[in-house]
């Protein structure tokens, strides 16, 4: 395996100091996941405590259960005995394996996407610079950098006030990072516009499409027509605060796109959210009485009241048949279905919530409406 040892001048100019900005972006686009476990519940375990039975079955393929792994005096300890004793740990390892496999496939595709795009752009910049008789650096300076206006103090104030609930530090401490973040956003936009104009002028066609994951939507609660050109499958946790933040964005998607979009809800209750599993089951018990989305909205509105007695009280407020609802909830009728959703999420590479798949394209975290709509627009354009 070989590694690139240099960057072209044009590429060096195109690259910006992104690491600090990445941290800043993550600060304002959060999700519930492994890093949240300690703060949420004093636990370092982020993977689901309960898993679909298939994970345990997979662990048994490591060898014959009758294999002797140790001998104590005249007594044998077999692989099967270890598998029984360590079922939870082996299930956890299986989950990590599935997540790693999914992330490997996604990461590898992203490398191809990024490098293909960069090679196309390098070639276009080189050709444009040669045609104008200037260097690549001079071309980018004229067409990109010179067109980027400086970020004003008013723009920094507006950004800070808009995101104040998600930025814990005083403005004076984060002002340099906000300025850098907004300046890079502006530079990225100018650069993207320049590259787009070059690609349009040269009739560039990318053959490598976005990475997609085949996530089943059948049988899950949904709104929107089954034949909608865009399907958004969301994996969510009713106790996750970031999941509640994406609800208004998805509601706006439904309002703006109507029958062009179908929203599918699948469960991924994280184990450090002690009420999330039963809340997920409660939503399916409500679905039996055609009140899934009403229960969905009420639980996200009242995330601090998700104990079983609270769930039953919500069912009463929604006008459900409380006898049937309570029996459904108390009997764990939908526990396995919730776990099946989680297993599907793990296989798809979900590690935290909320996680969305827009026609199979992965989008993680409490994304704003604009980020979701951008992918929806791309998918609608693709199918036209």
């Amino acid at each position: 395996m070989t590694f690139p040892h240099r960057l072209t001048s044009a590429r060096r100019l195109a690259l910006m100091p992104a690491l600090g900005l990445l941290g800043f972006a993550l600060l304002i686009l959060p999700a519930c996941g492994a890093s949240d476990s300690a703060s949420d519940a004093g636990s370092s375990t982020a993977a689901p405590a309960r898993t679909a039975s298939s994970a345990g079955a997979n662990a048994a393929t490591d060898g014959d259960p009758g294999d002797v792994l140790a001998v104590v005096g005249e007594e044998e300890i077999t692989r099967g005995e270890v598998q029984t004793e360590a079922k939870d740990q082996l299930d956890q390892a299986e989950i990590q394996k599935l997540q790693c496999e999914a992330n490997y496939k996604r990461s590898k595709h992203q490398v191809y996407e990024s490098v293909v795009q960069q090679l196309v752009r390098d070639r276009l910049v080189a050709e444009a610079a040669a045609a104008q008789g200037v260097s690549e650096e001079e071309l980018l300076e004229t067409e990109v950098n010179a067109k980027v206006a400086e970020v004003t103090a008013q723009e920094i104030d507006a950004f800070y006030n808009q995101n104040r609930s998600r930025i814990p530090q005083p403005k004076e401490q984060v002002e340099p990072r906000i300025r850098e973040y907004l300046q890079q956003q502006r530079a990225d936009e100018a650069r993207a516009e320049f590259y787009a104009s070059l690609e349009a002028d040269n009739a560039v066609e990318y053959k490598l499409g976005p990475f997609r994951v085949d996530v089943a939507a059948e049988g899950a609660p949904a709104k929107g027509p089954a034949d909608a050109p865009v399907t958004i499958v969301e994996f969510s946790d009713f106790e996750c605060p970031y999941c509640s933040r994406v609800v208004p964005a998805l509601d706006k998607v439904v309002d703006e796109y109507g029958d062009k979009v179908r929203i599918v809800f699948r469960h991924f209750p994280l184990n450090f959210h002690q009420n999330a599993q039963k809340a997920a089951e409660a939503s399916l018990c409500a679905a039996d009485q055609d009140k899934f989305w009403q229960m969905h909205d009420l639980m996200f509105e009242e995330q601090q009241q998700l104990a079983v007695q609270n769930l039953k009280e919500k069912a009463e407020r929604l006008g459900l048949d409380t006898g049937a609802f309570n029996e459904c909830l108390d009997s764990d009728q939908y526990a396995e279905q919730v776990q099946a959703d989680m297993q599907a999420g793990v296989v798809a590479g979900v590690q935290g919530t909320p996680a969305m798949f827009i026609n199979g394209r992965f989008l993680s975290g409490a994304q704003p409406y604009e980020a979701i709509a951008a992918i929806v627009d791309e998918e609608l354009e693709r199918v036209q």
Side-chain angles (χ1 to χ4, degrees):
M1 181 179 293
T2 59
F3 296 89
H5 61 278
R6 65 184 181 86
L7 293 173
T8 65
S9 298
R11 193 177 301 183
R12 285 198 299 270
L13 280 175
L15 292 176
M16 298 291 284
L19 290 179
L21 299 182
L22 175 60
F24 189 77
L26 291 176
L27 174 67
I28 62 173
L29 288 175
C32 288
S35 61
D36 298 305
S37 58
S39 60
D40 271 339
S43 168
S44 61
T45 304
R50 314 167 192 83
T51 61
S53 60
S54 60
N58 289 337
T61 62
D62 292 344
D64 189 327
D67 291 344
V68 177
L69 303 184
V71 178
V72 182
E74 296 183 357
E75 294 186 4
E76 297 176 340
I77 296 175
T78 65
R79 184 183 300 278
E81 184 179 351
V82 172
Q83 289 169 344
T84 300
E85 184 70 20
K87 181 181 184 303
D88 287 346
Q89 296 98 311
L90 291 172
D91 285 351
Q92 178 95 353
E94 185 67 20
I95 287 170
Q96 292 171 348
K97 173 189 173 184
L98 293 171
Q99 289 174 330
C100 286
E101 288 176 347
N103 289 331
Y104 163 74
K105 293 175 183 177
R106 181 179 295 115
S107 296
K108 190 171 182 179
H109 190 278
Q110 288 172 343
V111 169
Y112 273 95
E113 277 188 308
S114 176
V115 174
V116 165
Q117 184 181 68
Q118 189 62 61
L119 290 172
V120 167
R121 291 175 172 180
D122 282 351
R123 189 164 302 177
L124 292 174
V125 169
E127 292 175 354
Q132 296 183 30
V134 298
S135 68
E136 296 174 26
E137 291 85 350
E138 290 171 328
L139 179 67
L140 290 172
E141 181 64 33
T142 301
E143 298 294 337
V144 177
N145 298 341
K147 296 181 179 180
V148 179
E150 290 295 322
V151 174
T152 66
Q154 291 79 8
E155 289 170 329
I156 293 174
D157 288 343
F159 180 89
Y160 181 78
N161 291 330
Q162 184 180 358
N163 297 281
R164 193 166 188 172
S165 63
R166 294 179 283 180
I167 304 177
Q169 299 96 334
K171 191 190 78 172
E172 293 72 20
Q173 291 184 14
V174 297
E175 184 171 349
R177 293 172 66 194
I178 294 176
R179 181 183 299 278
E180 187 181 4
Y181 177 77
L182 293 177
Q183 198 69 44
Q184 178 164 343
Q185 265 195 336
R186 193 164 289 177
D188 287 344
E189 290 170 1
R191 188 176 301 108
E193 290 177 5
F194 176 58
Y195 286 145
S197 66
L198 290 178
E199 291 175 358
D201 291 342
N202 290 272
V204 173
E205 181 183 2
Y206 287 101
K207 299 291 189 179
L208 180 66
F211 183 74
R212 300 181 190 275
V213 179
D214 186 12
V215 183
E218 295 76 15
K223 51 185 171 182
D227 61 351
V230 177
T231 296
I232 301 175
V233 179
E234 177 195 13
F235 285 88
S236 189
D237 173 327
F238 285 111
E239 202 170 352
C240 168
Y242 308 121
C243 295
S244 65
R245 293 181 186 176
V246 85
V247 171
L250 289 174
D251 286 344
K252 186 174 180 180
V253 167
V254 172
D255 291 340
E256 294 293 328
Y257 291 94
D259 289 346
K260 295 179 181 178
V261 173
R262 179 174 176 83
I263 307 291
V264 178
F265 189 96
R266 300 197 68 175
H267 300 280
F268 203 87
L270 299 164
N271 71 335
F272 52 85
H273 289 154
Q274 61 180 355
N275 297 314
Q277 171 71 28
K278 293 307 289 185
E281 294 174 34
S283 72
L284 297 175
C285 291
D288 283 345
Q289 302 184 44
D290 297 323
K291 290 291 182 71
F292 171 84
W293 291 106
Q294 291 89 332
M295 180 65 81
H296 164 282
D297 292 346
L298 189 55
M299 288 194 292
F300 274 130
E301 289 170 6
E302 301 176 355
Q303 285 189 303
Q304 303 307 312
Q305 293 86 42
L306 294 179
V308 169
Q309 62 269 25
N310 301 130
L311 300 174
K312 293 179 178 180
E313 184 272 333
K314 287 176 173 52
E316 185 175 3
R317 269 195 282 157
L318 290 173
L320 297 178
D321 178 339
T322 54
F325 177 89
N326 295 347
E327 181 180 356
C328 174
L329 190 61
D330 292 339
S331 66
D332 299 331
Q333 179 176 332
Y334 288 110
E336 289 188 5
Q337 182 171 329
V338 172
Q339 295 308 306
D341 274 11
M342 293 180 68
Q343 188 73 6
V346 166
V347 171
V350 175
Q351 292 183 314
T353 54
M356 289 170 279
F357 294 86
I358 305 175
N359 280 0
R361 297 170 62 177
F362 182 61
L363 188 63
S364 179
Q367 298 284 347
Y369 165 78
E370 291 75 15
I372 301 171
I375 299 179
V376 171
D377 288 339
E378 288 179 11
E379 290 301 300
L380 290 175
E381 184 177 352
R382 182 180 64 84
V383 297
Q384 286 178 353

